[in-house]
Amino acid sequence: MGLARYVELLPIQRSFSGRTLFSEPQASDETLIAEVGTDRIDELFCHRNQTDQLMVLRGSIDLVVLQQKRLHRITLREDEPSLVRIPPGVPHGAINRGRTPALVVNAVLRHGPNDPRDYRPRRVPPALLDQWRSLAA
């Protein structure tokens, strides 16, 4: 079975145990925590051998993905828990319009060796800058 080539938005199942709220476990090979600042930076990431599975724990972000030569916005918020699954080869970035940094967890699925270029941001292509900026406005 091949990897999906499209971004998926999935609801997160949650349950309480006493006063503690738990989300359903996500399969992963490693888990990363990222803080998305409020700086406006026109950058995209593209991973070669990993699927990102992102969920906002605090705050909100607009996840921007490049598919079919267009930028698409997916809003992720702490009060509407959902998981976004981004397969390898899909350029993506985040915009935080809030006043405080957002906290995001990434349950990474590995499909091959780690590539050091995966975490080097790339500038948004000039042909897409106007579209990016309109999404960020």
Side-chain angles (χ1 to χ4, degrees):
M1 177 170 109
L3 294 172
R5 298 301 303 169
Y6 55 89
V7 174
E8 298 175 89
L9 181 61
L10 308 166
I12 294 287
Q13 300 300 317
R14 303 185 308 167
S15 63
F16 277 97
S17 178
R19 296 189 317 179
T20 303
L21 178 65
F22 291 94
S23 68
E24 70 182 7
Q26 299 300 316
S28 70
D29 295 307
E30 63 187 58
T31 303
L32 307 172
I33 302 291
E35 190 172 81
V36 179
T38 57
D39 302 341
R40 299 286 164 90
I41 300 174
D42 307 331
E43 294 178 336
L44 295 170
F45 293 88
C46 188
H47 308 300
R48 288 150 188 82
N49 296 313
Q50 77 181 45
T51 295
D52 283 349
Q53 301 182 105
L54 305 174
M55 184 173 96
V56 169
L57 300 176
R58 182 183 70 223
S60 66
I61 63 169
D62 287 328
L63 180 67
V64 180
V65 297
L66 176 60
Q67 287 197 235
Q68 300 174 338
K69 300 180 183 180
R70 293 203 37 86
L71 295 173
H72 302 273
R73 176 176 51 202
I74 302 168
T75 300
L76 299 173
R77 301 170 24 157
E78 69 179 278
D79 60 343
E80 293 178 7
S82 55
L83 179 83
V84 173
R85 191 172 289 144
I86 307 168
V90 175
H92 58 282
I95 299 169
N96 179 351
R97 296 180 218 233
R99 294 183 180 176
T100 59
L103 192 62
V104 178
V105 64
N106 185 358
V108 176
L109 294 172
R110 292 261 172 232
H111 309 294
N114 196 7
D115 190 312
R117 297 173 291 177
D118 284 351
Y119 290 97
R120 280 191 219 136
R122 297 178 180 195
R123 303 299 282 171
V124 172
L128 297 172
L129 265 178
D130 286 342
Q131 190 183 4
W132 175 276
R133 291 180 179 149
S134 72
L135 290 174

